[in-house]
Amino acid sequence: MATKLQIENAEQLIYENELLQLTVLGGIKIEGLDRMRITVKLELQESSRPPIRHNLDLYNDTQLEKFIRKCAEKLEIGTSVISASLSELTEELEKYRIERIKEVEQNLKLKIKQLNLAEKEEAETFLKSKDLLNKTNELIGKSGVIGEEINRLLMYIIFTSRQREQPLHVISLGSSGTGKTHLQEKVGELVPEEERVSITTLSENAFYYFGKQELKHKVILIEDLDGAENALYPLRELQTKKRIVKTIASKNNKGETQTKYLVVEGPVCVAGCTTKEYIYEDNANRSFLIYLDESQEQDEKIMAYQRQISSGEINFYEQKEIQGFLQNTQRILEPIRVINPFANKLNLPQSVFKPRRTNNHYLQFIEAITFYYQYQREKKYDKQTGEEYIEVTIEDIENANSLLKEILLRKSDELTGSCRNYLELLKSYLKLKKKKQFTALEIRKQLRLPKTSQWRYHKQLVDAYLIKKVEKKGKQTNQYQVTNEKEYKELETQIQTMLDDCLQDIKRSIVPKRSKAKVERSKVTKTAS
């Protein structure tokens, strides 16, 4: 009879030869290759003798020898027959375990979708279309992202940068219930499933136990940074150094202590949500900060969408189709170097805080847009290295300036995002009521704010001299007044002027080159004549 392990039932593995039948009850564990503990039922073929049941480690010689002698005595057969049968069983179980490990690993791996020719052509045609960013933004909206037109496109471009050697990162800020996680989740669904990792909570050492290249060029979506505080340090290291290493002590088979290195490599693109701006300052410095739209207009858009869902007017199948299409456009983007020939002429306003990092983010975002436009950019080759690259165009800079205007404005503001929102709502209220002065209670009731939040905002605003107390004789209630109603508009104008001036400078520098080239071509034509 040919030796064979019957594996139809994983909980009852049967091995037979001409003399014996060995049944492994309960199957075997596939983890821990340094041992093979089993519960075995051993019986003679075509015999009335009762079978022998025993649990042992097949890799433990002492246990094995005792078991062989016991079986030989009870079944009255030679020890060599039992020893040979157990040896053959061990080999079969080893093969079976290796196959099971491979099978489990394959199941854990996300299957990378292979695009057919029609899907590739459709994605390429879209990426070559005019007004690509606006068309992309329209599709993002149709995929189920309501409102947040600037923020959703910003986030999409940032997620696209994961394929580059210097990916960008983003943190969504806003009050509780404003849809931070929803925005991140819905835009994240436009990234191919095999290239994103969604995390709800993180332990301190969680990142160290990913595979060495398991996170490379992936988007890490952290639902709530408040639940991942202990993991923020390795996360920052992964963002900055693109590699984290941890040493741990463990014992080998001989009981000797040895040092192991846990290495996880990037680069990665990280996205997270929080209501607490100051707590995550170190992480925020490495990221684009997106402040969610908390306006009444955005509330109306969300509620209208909720009513459409309830009335059955939303086509969820169409949303899934659009998600799949945008994922396909991401799949055909290829890593390519981007060079910005205009970088030396791009300057940020002096009002921007932490200009070194912000300047780097600004330049990288322009490159990310060029990367997304790679099917519309001429491929060039480095004369020395032969490396392929594409160049930033004026259109890319204009698109970046349009999307980043609010980001740069916030980066130039000495107030936190929530405090700035409060001040602008306060200004709107005073303008509507044609008032100059106000009480804290009056505004708190109008904006429906908790007293502690308003107290925190007022402290910031008084320290920044953006509001001041007005004392009036005979009145116990404090009156306040806004010191400069136009300060934010002035800051916005300053930033816009700086960006426009840089663009005009670039355009002026290009025109003479084009004119010179035209003159040279004219001379060549006349000479030929």
Side-chain angles (χ1 to χ4, degrees), residues 293-303 425:
D293 185 354
E294 300 184 29
S295 66
Q296 187 175 350
E297 184 183 357
Q298 175 66 8
D299 289 342
E300 288 297 330
K301 288 179 183 178
I302 296 293
M303 290 188 289
L425 288 171

Side-chain angles (χ1 to χ4, degrees), residues 10 81 86 175 178 180 206 208 217 225 251 334 347 370 475 481:
V81 174
L86 285 169
S175 307
T178 52
K180 302 179 296 297
Y208 295 104
H217 293 297
L225 287 173
K251 291 188 176 182
E334 297 179 355
N347 297 309
T370 305
K475 288 193 175 183
Q481 183 175 326

Side-chain angles (χ1 to χ4, degrees), residues 312-452:
E313 296 175 35
I314 300 299
N315 187 340
F316 291 106
Y317 176 78
E318 183 185 11
Q319 288 186 359
K320 283 288 181 186
E321 287 287 304
I322 292 171
Q323 286 175 9
F325 174 71
L326 287 175
Q327 287 177 9
N328 289 347
T329 64
Q330 294 273 320
R331 287 186 176 103
I332 68 167
L333 292 172
E334 297 179 355
I336 189 170
R337 186 183 174 198
V338 177
I339 291 178
N340 187 351
F342 312 112
N344 290 328
K345 294 184 179 295
L346 295 171
N347 297 309
L348 289 179
Q350 293 181 351
S351 58
V352 170
F353 293 112
K354 298 182 180 173
R356 296 180 186 181
R357 224 161 218 168
T358 304
N359 183 61
N360 194 37
H361 287 165
Y362 175 50
L363 294 173
Q364 286 178 4
F365 188 79
I366 294 171
E367 291 178 19
I369 288 180
T370 305
F371 177 80
Y372 187 55
Y373 271 87
Q374 63 181 253
Y375 280 87
Q376 301 184 37
R377 301 289 175 260
E378 179 189 354
K379 289 184 179 178
K380 300 183 178 182
Y381 299 89
D382 190 299
K383 292 180 180 178
Q384 293 181 340
T385 64
E387 183 183 11
E388 190 178 60
Y389 69 92
I390 54 177
E391 287 187 347
V392 170
T393 66
I394 293 177
E395 180 192 359
D396 298 333
I397 299 171
E398 287 174 334
N399 284 328
N401 288 354
S402 175
L403 288 171
L404 291 181
K405 186 171 69 173
E406 180 68 19
I407 297 283
L408 294 175
L409 184 58
R410 295 282 191 169
K411 285 275 188 182
S412 305
D413 194 0
E414 59 184 308
L415 302 178
T416 61
S418 53
C419 185
R420 170 55 65 186
N421 291 341
Y422 170 77
L423 179 56
E424 294 308 305
L425 288 171
L426 170 61
K427 289 178 186 177
S428 298
Y429 171 76
L430 294 176
K431 185 177 180 181
L432 181 68
K433 297 293 183 180
K434 297 179 180 179
K435 296 176 68 176
K436 292 290 184 182
Q437 297 178 3
F438 62 94
T439 65
L441 179 62
E442 174 189 5
I443 301 302
R444 193 162 66 244
K445 285 183 176 180
Q446 177 65 30
L447 301 182
R448 298 178 183 179
L449 273 175
K451 189 175 182 179
T452 52

